[in-house]
Amino acid sequence: METSDRYIDKDAVIKRITDLKKERDAVIVAHMYQNPDVQDIADTVGDSYALSKYCASRPESTIVFCGVHFMAESAKILSPDKTVLLPERYAGCPMADMITAEDLREFKNEHPGYAAAIYINSSAAVKAEADVIVTSSNAVKIVSRMSEKNIIFGPDKNLGAYVARQCPDKNILLWNGFCPTHHKIKKEDVLNIRSQHPDALLLVHPECTPDVTELADYVGSTKGIIDFATQSDRSEFIIGTEIGVMHRLEVENRNKGKRFYLMSPSLTCPNMKRTLLESVLRSLENNEYNIEVPHDTAERAKKALDRMMELGN
Ligand code: CIZ
Ligand code: SF4
């Protein structure tokens, strides 16, 4: 149920979360695609990599990661000695599930001499098979700086196609994965909303199809979109990414007279929306759901993340 009277007493739920957080020595982090209620009680809100780094820098021994499974795994890889809790057991990412470690191993075997650049939206087991990890913020920079010319890119074929357009000297093989939420936006949706708001700039995520990104005034990660809109002297923006970002834009641009229009109401990730305030409370009460990454997998995945840091700096 998505109504505001969902909680018997929302303030009491928030108070209990705050008390338990202290008792459990926990920090709560929320991805920008989370429900506004959850974003508002988090210690910080950000993209998946920024959150994992934040968690590693914190003194608390427990991390409550409000997001999806691969994100909690990334936090665990960077904080192996901490307890990492994912409040909703089945909050997964369909795009991350479109490639397995075995798939990637096989694909690499079929294409000897290719280096695998893997999107952070992937399981720890897949990251462990990667040569380097990329985020939507740094994918173009990382791929262009890689010494290898022949590159396997996955799992997102749309981000991969965007990177390939920006790096014409690379030979990029795309895995056939996609984000079901961003992928369903059609060119007609864009033309339709543009005709309603002709003065608005169009800011879209590279997980959208090439048909859509080609029409955009700016293509970038969630943080890129927020920074662009916040720093711009324009006042109207059409936003082509998950609806949770609308809340961040409103919070960070309060009283500035800026207007944001979501490109389509279907830009809602059902997995991200599984986590409610009650989920966070239950997570703290029962210490659930504990995310573990096998030591060897975590070490190999960490190497691919470290290479991202080296190339991205
Ligand atoms: O890496 C992230 O957090 C995701 C899923 C999107 C983005 O653009 O930040
Ligand atoms: Fe995965 Fe797409 Fe949801 Fe992000 S918005 S978690 S890529 S399904």
Side-chain angles (χ1 to χ4, degrees):
M1 199 166 63
E2 286 295 324
T3 59
S4 56
D5 60 357
R6 188 171 58 213
Y7 308 106
I8 299 168
D9 184 345
K10 186 171 153 182
D11 290 344
V13 174
I14 293 174
K15 166 93 176 54
R16 183 90 186 106
I17 289 174
T18 312
D19 292 347
L20 270 175
K21 199 171 77 153
K22 275 203 203 100
E23 250 174 64
R24 293 262 189 255
D25 186 32
V27 60
I28 301 175
V29 301
H31 192 267
M32 296 193 233
Y33 294 169
Q34 290 287 290
N35 286 305
D37 278 351
V38 174
Q39 292 191 26
D40 291 347
I41 55 109
D43 293 292
T44 192
V45 181
D47 62 32
S48 64
Y49 191 61
L51 291 180
S52 295
K53 277 203 307 194
Y54 174 84
C55 292
S57 75
R58 294 285 302 204
E60 291 85 355
S61 57
T62 294
I63 296 159
V64 179
F65 204 114
C66 304
V68 293
H69 191 267
F70 79 82
M71 299 179 176
E73 280 190 331
S74 297
K76 183 72 183 178
I77 292 166
L78 296 195
S79 302
D81 299 327
K82 295 183 184 177
T83 300
V84 178
L85 303 175
L86 180 70
E88 282 292 327
R89 190 205 298 255
Y90 299 111
C93 168
M95 181 214 282
D97 293 341
M98 288 177 190
I99 189 166
T100 65
E102 211 167 62
D103 290 336
L104 181 53
R105 265 199 306 273
E106 256 174 47
F107 200 52
K108 283 178 80 176
N109 284 340
E110 285 163 17
H111 302 284
Y114 277 72
I118 296 296
Y119 191 22
I120 196 152
N121 291 31
S122 54
S123 68
V126 167
K127 286 188 179 78
E129 302 296 329
D131 294 289
V132 64
I133 304 303
V134 303
T135 68
S136 43
S137 301
N138 65 22
V140 171
K141 194 199 255 182
I142 303 277
V143 169
S144 66
R145 289 181 177 179
M146 285 170 77
S147 52
E148 299 89 345
K149 181 177 165 57
N150 294 328
I151 291 165
I152 287 170
F153 192 99
D156 186 13
K157 64 177 172 187
N158 292 324
L159 176 60
Y162 177 71
V163 170
R165 280 212 307 274
Q166 312 294 316
C167 304
D169 56 325
K170 299 285 183 184
N171 182 24
I172 300 183
L173 274 180
L174 301 178
W175 187 259
N176 190 18
F178 56 90
C179 163
T181 302
H182 288 84
H183 194 74
K184 68 184 164 213
I185 303 304
K186 298 277 168 285
K187 190 174 177 173
E188 296 70 55
D189 297 317
V190 182
L191 298 178
N192 182 27
I193 190 152
R194 266 214 146 146
S195 68
Q196 289 169 40
H197 305 288
D199 295 332
L201 289 181
L202 178 69
L203 319 182
V204 312
H205 197 279
E207 287 172 19
C208 292
T209 62
D211 258 13
V212 171
T213 50
E214 269 163 17
L215 297 172
D217 297 300
Y218 173 81
V219 180
S221 65
T222 50
K223 182 174 182 320
I225 289 174
I226 291 167
D227 289 350
F228 185 98
T230 306
Q231 285 154 22
S232 170
D233 51 15
R234 297 280 287 266
S235 57
E236 288 185 83
F237 306 88
I238 298 166
I239 304 299
T241 190
E242 212 275 346
I243 190 170
V245 167
M246 299 296 280
H247 183 61
R248 282 319 322 136
L249 285 164
E250 300 293 348
V251 168
E252 293 189 24
N253 289 282
R254 209 160 263 156
N255 306 324
K256 289 200 198 147
K258 293 193 177 185
R259 277 195 298 240
F260 303 105
Y261 314 107
L262 189 65
M263 197 153 69
S264 157
S266 61
L267 277 165
T268 300
C269 173
N271 278 283
M272 280 287 180
K273 299 301 182 263
R274 281 179 191 261
T275 309
L276 306 174
L277 284 181
E278 291 97 326
S279 325
V280 180
L281 178 55
R282 209 177 348 90
S283 175
L284 284 162
E285 276 173 347
N286 305 336
N287 261 325
E288 63 194 21
Y289 292 93
N290 189 30
I291 300 300
E292 293 289 357
V293 177
H295 182 69
D296 170 60
T297 305
E299 291 233 307
R300 290 189 297 135
K302 173 82 169 45
K303 268 195 197 139
L305 281 163
D306 287 345
R307 184 148 184 237
M308 170 176 92
M309 291 303 290
E310 280 159 31
L311 288 173
N313 276 331

